[in-house]
Amino acid sequence: MMKLRHGLYPRFLLLAAGVLVVVLAVVGVMLHRQATMQREVVALSQESIHALLFDRVRERGQAVARQLADSLVNPLYYFDLDAIGVLMRNVMQQSDVSYVIVYDNSGAVIHDGSDDIATYGQAMQDPLAYEVVTARDMHVQVTNKVLDVSAPIRIGGQRIGGVRIGYSLDSVIADENRATAAMRGRMEDIGYQHALWVLLMMLVLVAIGVVVSLVVQRSLVRPIRQLANAAREIEAGNFATEVPVTPRDDEVGDLTRAFSRMGDSIVRHDRDIRRMAYTDALTGLSNRLAFREHLDQQLMLVRGAARQMALLFADIDDFKRVNDTLGHDAGDEVLVQFSSRIREVIERHDDGHATLARFGGDEFVILLEFAEGSGADIRARASSLADALVAELGRPIMVRGRQVFLGTSIGITLFPDDASNAAMLMKNGDIAMYQAKVAGKNCHRFYSRAMDQAVERRVHMEQDLRGAWERGELSLVYQPVYRLSDNALTGAEALLRWQHPEHGPIAPSVFIDVAEQSGLIETIGPAVLRAACVDAMRWTREREGAEDLFVAVNVSPRQLRNGDLSEQVAQALADTGLSPSRLHIELTETAVIGDEIRASTLLGRLRSTGVKVWLDDFGTGFSGLSHLRRVPVDGVKIDRSFVADVLRDPDDLALTTAIIAMAHSLGITVVAEGVEKEGQYDILRERGCDLAQGYWLGYPMVMQDFMALLD
């Protein structure tokens, strides 16, 4: 009896009893869950019905409000209260409309639909009135009792008032309650029938399960459980766990042996995956993930100890020009060469405590660490390494047979002087790197608290720049452009200036960059274009002989990339009446050659209207004059850096002469900018340059002074 009590059979009986209890519990949970699901379905149905009915009322309200607003334009403009009242009473005849109110821009009632207009001239005081008055477009508000739809009344784009329509929600609530009650009753009937079937099926399954469990317990469950335990160990990273070994020659035996082989394969793949996950595929350096984990680990080790670290955040200067002009494959080649140079510099200047990683794109990070008691000056060491990197990376690099000059900007931040955690270190390094770029690129800067203030000032500048044109802070000045052959005035370049109400004049190089990066240039650019066309038409009307003067307007690469530049130019010309031949659009060289096919299409569309297209700052990028055969332009502006040295640098003179000759061979006009000396003017005229501008010929001047120049 004792042997029977402790044998397999009693254990199977106990197991079967336990399974039966579990199954019954599952059935109970399922039935309880079914009831819960019924309630959830009813609730969801109620929400759907509510949303459907409410959306129907809202859509109808918006349509009626929009139609009524359109109908009220003329009556409100002529202040015809009788006509307004007729339109309002037609709407109020709808059964669920509680009120209709016409108001002016200040929120005062013009008509409330009554015969005597008892509230005429009174300000709307209800809780919904504030949003109604401040809303610029159609606005919908909802309370427990009413849906309020307001729409502005405009004439010619100018808002002259608005109209409100209030819809009672009583009928919506009543319909919702009736539909919900019907749904709840039907769901209860279905749920009761479903519960009976589920209970019956579960009883059958319990019976079958009891029988099957007795059969499979020993032959399947136990071996699989052993494999599952081994799998959990492997999942937890314990790859040395022992996998069960069995002599069985059936499917379970095959599964066990296959699992053993799979465990060995997982170990190999984990090793390979970790290597790929923590290594940059292009350069072979550690990647961002590996560096962040290493930085976090080192910070945990040095926290509380008298140790220092320096983080160098390096970014390749003007790397985007390589991708835009030579292609992304060439850009990858540059990154590989830069990473090799950085590694070599670190090996020459490091004693084994520096970690190099590619942080992403054209950014590299270097973490300098010191052993305790080394006595080294972390700041001096970081500065020395940064100087070596700047010098090495500033040397020319050969990419596909072409010599490219790039350089690097490096930001340096120290631990624990500047920050106490990885996130702040990375942020400070990035800020310091940005300040190195602001300082002229190809240099390094240490992080300081003042840099945070500089970033904050940039944010404030962006905020102040928003709406600056509308407030009259932005204005145009005009720099005259002369024909070199006879010194005749041929036109002017429109230049944007910002007179800040607190800080005074802001340099264009500062706020134009902010406008570009923030996207504000997409708003300011079209406004500048239209204002320049308006001023050019004023020259024609008020000054004799000015009908042939052109106006040149700079357009940012961002405006060109958006693809609607031709439409903006056409609209400005149509609005102002300026002849297309008198408008010259100036684009930077790199903006055009970055995507020659797309740029050719856009510029061809512009030139087909008669507008002239010039390339500004020509010669500063990686392009050659061969690009001009593929990109349709009418003129090039030789960059001022070449013009400045034509009198003392034979190379710049030769390059300038070559540009003029080759451009003329292609039928392209050549403009020299930055002419500040008479000698520069004379030599450019001798070399056949067509047009010129600069301080020696004329400073940028306000509209009144330019008009006086025309006199």
Side-chain angles (χ1 to χ4, degrees), residues 18 93 112 154 185 187 234 267 304 338 374 379 392 397 416 445 463 465 517 549 580 605 613 620:
Q93 290 176 359
D112 57 6
R154 293 189 175 96
M187 288 300 297
I234 294 175
V267 173
F338 261 67
S374 63
R379 188 179 185 91
E392 175 65 22
I397 186 171
R445 289 291 182 271
Q463 295 173 347
L465 192 56
Q517 296 186 12
L549 296 181
R605 195 184 311 161
V613 177
T620 58

Side-chain angles (χ1 to χ4, degrees), residues 641-659 683 687:
S641 61
F642 299 108
V643 176
D645 293 330
V646 293
L647 296 178
R648 62 176 182 270
D649 191 333
D651 292 336
D652 282 349
L653 177 58
L655 181 58
T656 301
T657 304
I659 292 175
I683 199 168
R687 301 304 164 119

